[in-house]
Amino acid sequence: MSAFDCVIVGGGIVGAALADVLSADGMSVALVEARSIGAGTTACGMGHLVAMDDNAAELALTSWSVSLWRELADGLPRAVEYDACGTLWLAADDEEMAAVSAKVANYRAAGVRAEVLDSAALQEAEPALAPGLVGALRVVDDAVLYPPLAARTFALRAQARGARLMTGCPVRELRSGSVVLSNGEVLTARYIVLAAGVASPALCPGLPISPRKGHLLITRRGAPVVHHQLVELGYLKSAHGTDGASVAFNAQPRVTGQLLLGSSRQPGDATREVDAALLERMLKRAAMFLPGLDGLQALRVWTGLRPATPDGLPLLGPHPEKPWLWLACGHEGLGITTATGSARLVADQLLGRTSAIDARPYSPARFLTASSREVAHA
Amino acid sequence: MREACDLVVVGAGPGGLAAACRAAEAGLDVLVLDAQPEPGGQVWRSEARKGANRLARRWLTRFAASGARFRPGARVVAAPEPGVLLVEEGSSSFAVRYGRAVLATGARERFLPFPGWTLPGVLGVSGLQVLVKDGLPIRGKRVVLAGTGPLLLAAAATIHAHGGEVLYIAEQASAASHWGFALQLWRHPAKLLQGALMSAALISVPTSTDAWVIAAEGEGRVESVRLSVRGREEQLRCDYLGAAYGLVPNLEVARLLGCETSAGAVVVNERLETRVPKVHAVGELLGIGGVDQALVTGELAGLVAAEQPIPVELERTWHRVRAFAAQLARHDAPRAELRRLATPDTLLCRCEDVPMSALEGCQNLREARLYARLGMGACQGRTCGTAAQTLFGWSGEDVRPPCLPARIGSLRLPSDVSSTHARES
Amino acid sequence: MREPASKATTRVTLRINGRAVTVPAGTSVAAALAMTDSFVSRADLSGRPRGPLCGMGVCFECRATIDGVPEVLMCLTPCREDQEVVTDA
């Protein structure tokens, strides 16, 4: 039996970032991962660090997290491929362009640098895009990186401070004050944090997290095709609905010269197979924005499972019915972006510190007790 | 563009040709796909033009008369739904809708890393042989061959016949294993004859068992090799080095289709059916067994696909060639020393330039892929994945589309495929 | 310009990185590469030279732009008259 200040269950980017923060604060930490660090949903994502303004809580967490990443950037190994390429939100029609000015105001109010590109400026910035797009919103400080190595970097930093990394260690059960591994080993801890993404409900039944499958495609190395992360503004209309499968155009330049292409969403689908019909829809959508798409060389297609919550915000904080259990899960498609902020928020709560942003919108209590559910729906 | 057929055959080597002949002769509409410009596969490469090998000539003639359609330069890249393949052909692509499939994708060489193996002029054993058959000027060039099994002698014979000077043949197997294997060949008359002919042609080439290449050296291309020969080190100046250690099946298309594999081979029943309905596998996919196994399993699968009776003699032959395949596997198993040749600087993944040292701390193939980019480049791990399996016992990950790098346009679905799928799902 | 091909063996002339190479019909582009004296098909990520390895479409070392089509494997491509082969070496 081993005793720790904190056992973190789940070695994805969120768990690894938390291990990094807690170990830096002097806590003794064990990071327990069923397979390999950063090898689950973390390895399947696009690796965008993007400020999103769907609602105030999302903007607060994402913009703060992006700035935390920026502070970390110089200390990351080159292989993490941090690239502050910025995001262009593409407006396909006047209606979407009208939304751009409201978004600029939103972003600026949150301290996020944003600017409007008209059609000509957009064509100049991204010549590979189809002509006829009305314009774009440029979010200057957004970035991309390579998530599994970012997660591994966090985990190795924690290990260097004395944290115990336990990979290939599936967890059988979470108890008050202890974690039981499948091999029978028991780890005791003052704090237990569940950061197991889509696997979290298996260890804590009742969590409002369900898989939302996505597809990605990456091209071979070559000359860069695009220079910013590109996302269609229609994404907000097409992809955020929770009913049925949807696709939206999302493309990223990688420092290798590869183009990373998404995206698709299939709520409730936990299979890993490539769905050819949905991939076709995704490629068809992308080809509308990148007319030269079909001539690019595809190297790999893969899928991943986003851990989605009903309101699109993560669960960060104590479990209302199990006060010994802390949650850091349910990040859907923003786990890479918000890993830094999520780790800080949970660490601050564990240590009784004040956070830079209000933690209440992410409290698990909004779903997990009757009283809070009424408040949430009020 | 679309194609439809009763039977699609993937691979036009001996196995694929035999399957196509039997099925087409029984009246099926057969479409044969192969990445090469001509039928014959690797083993009968260029035979379609030269006609030097009698067995090859017989089958290629039979194939030409069978009525089967042949699409050269055609590479399967995806299998979007049962009964459909997406195929890239030059700068265009098409979909094939098939009733049954025979997979005859053959084998590739097993490359193991050693210092200098990335120098130009260092090729596979069969790789060099293929290029010589395809016209690489070898007359007067000095060649060293290192590897294992009958492929070494076959390559030496080709190089010799084209005027190349084979300086040395290094056979990695131990003397006991090698001569034990040779003595077993009496069970297989065709091979014994083949072997004797090749040995006669090569009588003057120094050959050693318990020998392998330690390193290749040179500025900008290979200029010399260092060999370990029965515990001694020897250096030879040369123009080309052929170095590879036996064959491994090309399982990618089979795994893309969802066929079960076990111990590096596709699992089939007595009718050569894989675990995926209406999909058969033949030849090297069943475990390396050479031309005889490819022909007999190809014929069997072609007959089964066409619902024809199976001659008893054909089944007997299959059981006989299986025994040979098992012996070959034992003989060709790379010895332990070959796993220790690479230094920390030696690249394991040639596409992403991943040196051995980058794998430090990686426990499995997934970690090596995620943390060090092993196998994440253009060949999709075909070369380093096989090496990593031999070196570290790491097994491969799932095969997903595209099973070869392909233009995105080649992955697009024709409208009828996607609409069919949408209705079914 | 080259002499007309003899009747016995058809010969074709292609260009590899701008240099004319005349070969018997049926020669693969990868084999013809050896006639340019360099046998280099590409540069690796650090700029070091690479040549063909597997000869059978597996290793992707011999990729080149052939008649404007990128990422074609030389070992799977027969030489043709007036073919334009450009490697990234």
Side-chain angles (χ1 to χ4, degrees):
Chain A
M1 196 181 272
S2 317
F4 297 91
D5 292 332
C6 182
V7 172
I8 301 164
V9 177
I13 194 150
V14 172
L18 182 60
D20 182 36
V21 170
L22 293 179
S23 65
D25 276 317
M27 289 180 88
S28 70
V29 174
L31 181 60
V32 184
E33 162 56 42
R35 293 179 297 170
S36 300
I37 297 296
T41 299
T42 296
C44 301
M46 290 186 86
H48 44 222
L49 311 177
V50 52
M52 296 274 289
D53 71 334
D54 291 357
N55 54 63
E58 185 185 59
L59 182 57
L61 182 58
T62 55
S63 60
W64 180 45
S65 296
V66 170
S67 67
L68 290 171
W69 275 111
R70 199 163 55 243
E71 289 167 21
L72 288 170
D74 287 344
L76 295 173
R78 218 166 58 99
V80 173
E81 297 179 3
Y82 179 93
D83 178 15
C85 57
T87 300
L88 292 180
W89 293 89
L90 307 174
D93 54 36
D94 291 333
E95 188 194 350
E96 289 177 1
M97 198 60 188
V100 163
S101 30
K103 287 170 80 71
V104 167
N106 254 351
Y107 277 121
R108 288 182 178 164
V112 177
R113 292 197 291 164
E115 62 190 37
V116 180
L117 270 59
D118 64 16
S119 182
L122 177 60
Q123 272 300 314
E124 192 180 343
E126 296 289 355
L129 279 173
L133 290 168
V134 181
L137 165 69
R138 178 166 176 245
V139 182
V140 180
D141 294 317
D142 283 358
V144 301
L145 52 62
Y146 179 57
L149 273 185
R152 193 187 193 211
T153 300
F154 287 143
L156 293 179
R157 285 194 338 193
Q159 187 180 41
R161 298 187 198 105
R164 183 164 169 204
L165 292 195
M166 305 177 68
T167 57
C169 286
V171 167
R172 186 196 297 161
E173 192 186 351
L174 306 178
R175 294 179 186 162
S176 175
S178 67
V179 172
V180 185
L181 306 184
S182 293
N183 64 12
E185 192 180 346
V186 178
L187 310 175
T188 63
R190 183 165 170 210
Y191 304 111
I192 294 164
V193 181
L194 181 58
V198 286
S200 299
L203 289 168
C204 180
L207 288 186
I209 295 176
S210 61
R212 190 171 283 182
K213 180 175 171 179
H215 288 70
L216 292 176
L217 178 151
I218 196 162
T219 65
R220 289 170 72 169
R221 287 174 181 265
V225 178
V226 302
H227 309 283
H228 300 75
Q229 165 159 252
L230 305 176
V231 196
E232 60 167 305
L233 270 168
Y235 184 84
L236 306 175
K237 290 182 272 187
S238 62
H240 276 203
T242 49
D243 53 328
S246 62
V247 298
F249 171 62
N250 189 346
Q252 273 183 9
R254 307 300 305 192
V255 297
T256 51
Q258 295 172 284
L259 180 80
L260 180 53
L261 193 72
S263 61
S264 73
R265 281 164 194 247
Q266 287 162 286
D269 193 333
T271 61
R272 308 309 301 259
E273 288 73 30
V274 172
D275 179 329
L278 195 64
L279 177 66
E280 168 60 22
R281 279 177 61 191
M282 184 179 110
L283 295 176
K284 190 175 176 184
R285 186 87 194 157
M288 290 166 58
F289 287 86
L290 291 174
L293 185 78
D294 279 357
L296 300 177
Q297 291 272 328
L299 180 58
R300 276 189 304 281
V301 174
W302 68 94
T303 64
L305 303 178
R306 306 176 183 92
T309 63
D311 63 0
L313 294 174
L315 305 174
L316 305 173
H319 191 298
E321 289 151 13
K322 301 173 184 168
W324 48 271
L325 179 64
W326 294 69
L327 301 176
C329 47
H331 291 75
E332 197 175 343
L334 288 170
I336 311 302
T337 296
T338 63
T340 47
S342 298
R344 291 286 190 95
L345 278 184
V346 173
D348 288 343
Q349 291 179 68
L350 287 179
L351 296 164
R353 291 189 302 220
T354 308
S355 286
I357 66 169
D358 183 357
R360 283 173 297 183
Y362 325 104
S363 166
R366 71 190 190 276
F367 296 116
L368 294 169
T369 64
S371 55
S372 68
R373 192 172 299 129
E374 283 165 18
V375 172
H377 284 216
Chain B
M1 191 159 69
R2 273 186 304 282
E3 283 274 4
C5 59
D6 299 324
L7 174 68
V8 65
V9 177
V10 184
L17 293 179
C21 287
R22 284 292 198 171
E25 287 162 4
L28 293 195
D29 177 20
V30 179
L31 178 67
V32 182
L33 308 172
D34 196 287
Q36 311 280 340
E38 296 167 332
Q42 297 310 327
V43 65
W44 290 341
R45 185 131 159 178
S46 79
E47 290 296 337
R49 275 172 290 116
K50 295 177 182 166
N53 176 315
R54 260 202 0 237
L55 188 62
R57 196 163 63 231
R58 202 171 82 217
W59 277 103
L60 287 163
T61 306
R62 183 172 172 181
F63 177 61
S66 69
R69 292 175 288 144
F70 179 58
R71 294 292 286 259
R75 311 192 299 173
V76 172
V77 296
E81 65 180 60
V84 177
L85 297 176
L86 300 185
V87 181
E88 183 165 283
E89 185 184 53
S91 54
S92 64
S93 53
F94 61 96
V96 176
R97 195 175 279 286
Y98 62 89
R100 282 179 180 270
V102 171
L103 307 181
T105 48
R108 58 175 172 261
E109 290 189 274
R110 182 203 312 271
F111 292 99
L112 297 176
F114 54 86
W117 78 301
T118 53
L119 284 172
V122 178
L123 295 93
V125 172
S126 298
L128 180 56
Q129 179 186 22
V130 156
L131 259 71
V132 168
K133 282 184 178 177
D134 280 354
L136 181 141
I138 200 73
R139 184 165 299 282
K141 302 289 187 192
R142 301 159 301 170
V143 177
V144 174
L145 297 174
T148 197
L151 295 175
L152 271 177
L153 302 178
T158 299
I159 291 163
H160 185 80
H162 285 78
E165 186 187 353
V166 182
L167 298 183
Y168 205 93
I169 299 176
E171 161 65 61
Q172 61 96 31
S174 69
S177 162
H178 186 64
W179 296 118
F181 174 72
L183 288 173
Q184 291 293 318
L185 286 178
W186 65 268
R187 292 174 193 271
H188 313 286
K191 292 197 177 57
L192 186 60
L193 184 63
Q194 231 173 23
L197 286 172
M198 289 193 294
S199 301
L202 292 164
I203 202 95
S204 59
V205 178
T207 305
S208 179
T209 53
D210 294 288
W212 58 90
V213 58
I214 301 170
E217 288 153 0
E219 279 302 313
R221 68 166 293 153
V222 64
E223 291 166 356
S224 69
V225 299
R226 285 193 288 127
L227 300 173
S228 173
V229 179
R230 295 174 183 254
R232 285 176 295 106
E233 195 173 313
E234 290 193 14
Q235 182 142 18
L236 289 170
R237 295 192 67 76
C238 65
D239 302 300
Y240 289 100
L241 166 64
Y245 296 90
L247 299 174
V248 293
N250 290 319
L251 297 175
E252 285 76 13
V253 174
R255 293 180 59 201
L256 177 75
L257 267 59
C259 300
E260 185 182 336
T261 61
S262 169
V266 178
V267 176
V268 293
N269 62 16
E270 288 292 311
R271 294 161 57 82
L272 296 162
E273 290 159 327
T274 67
R275 295 288 161 86
V276 177
K278 300 185 173 179
V279 176
H280 303 259
V282 303
E284 308 287 41
L285 293 180
L286 310 178
I288 302 305
V291 174
D292 294 355
Q293 174 179 279
L295 287 171
V296 67
T297 54
E299 285 194 73
L300 279 168
L303 290 167
V304 169
E307 294 171 1
Q308 296 293 301
I310 307 297
V312 176
E313 182 49 34
L314 210 52
E315 286 194 336
R316 283 208 199 105
T317 311
W318 184 25
H319 292 293
R320 208 163 57 237
V321 300
R322 269 176 159 176
F324 172 74
Q327 287 163 16
L328 191 67
R330 280 194 296 277
H331 175 272
D332 284 2
R335 60 192 300 140
E337 290 92 332
L338 299 175
R339 302 186 197 126
R340 299 193 284 269
L341 297 173
T343 65
D345 294 341
T346 307
L347 299 185
L348 177 55
C349 172
R350 301 170 61 113
C351 297
E352 289 292 318
D353 291 7
V354 180
M356 294 289 286
S357 58
L359 304 180
E360 201 180 319
C362 295
Q363 303 295 315
N364 50 49
L365 186 62
R366 179 138 179 91
E367 292 188 2
R369 286 168 62 88
L370 291 177
Y371 305 155
R373 301 185 71 94
L374 186 83
M376 300 296 261
C379 90
Q380 297 183 332
R382 280 171 169 75
T383 305
C384 66
T386 305
Q389 182 149 38
T390 306
L391 265 52
F392 311 121
W394 292 346
S395 53
E397 299 208 315
D398 292 349
V399 173
R400 290 169 297 212
C403 67
L404 275 172
R407 277 173 296 100
I408 289 176
S410 302
L411 298 177
R412 303 294 304 276
L413 297 186
S415 53
D416 65 330
V417 173
S418 51
S419 61
T420 306
H421 190 80
R423 270 203 308 278
E424 284 169 356
S425 59
Chain C
M1 288 296 288
R2 299 264 157 174
E3 293 296 309
S6 79
K7 284 191 178 134
T9 338
T10 316
R11 297 179 76 81
V12 297
T13 299
L14 65 158
R15 276 176 307 282
I16 301 181
N17 295 328
R19 177 176 164 176
V21 180
T22 301
V23 299
T27 302
S28 74
V29 177
L33 182 69
M35 300 175 197
T36 64
D37 296 331
S38 80
F39 206 47
V40 175
S41 52
R42 71 181 187 98
D44 74 11
L45 299 175
S46 313
R48 293 166 297 199
R50 293 286 181 82
L53 175 73
C54 77
M56 45 185 93
V58 173
C59 73
F60 284 71
E61 289 284 9
C62 69
R63 53 201 196 234
T65 298
I66 300 183
D67 291 336
V69 181
E71 311 290 0
V72 178
L73 298 182
M74 292 189 246
C75 70
L76 299 179
T77 310
C79 293
R80 280 186 255 278
E81 188 66 30
D82 286 332
Q83 202 169 33
E84 194 74 53
V85 178
V86 180
T87 73
D88 75 349

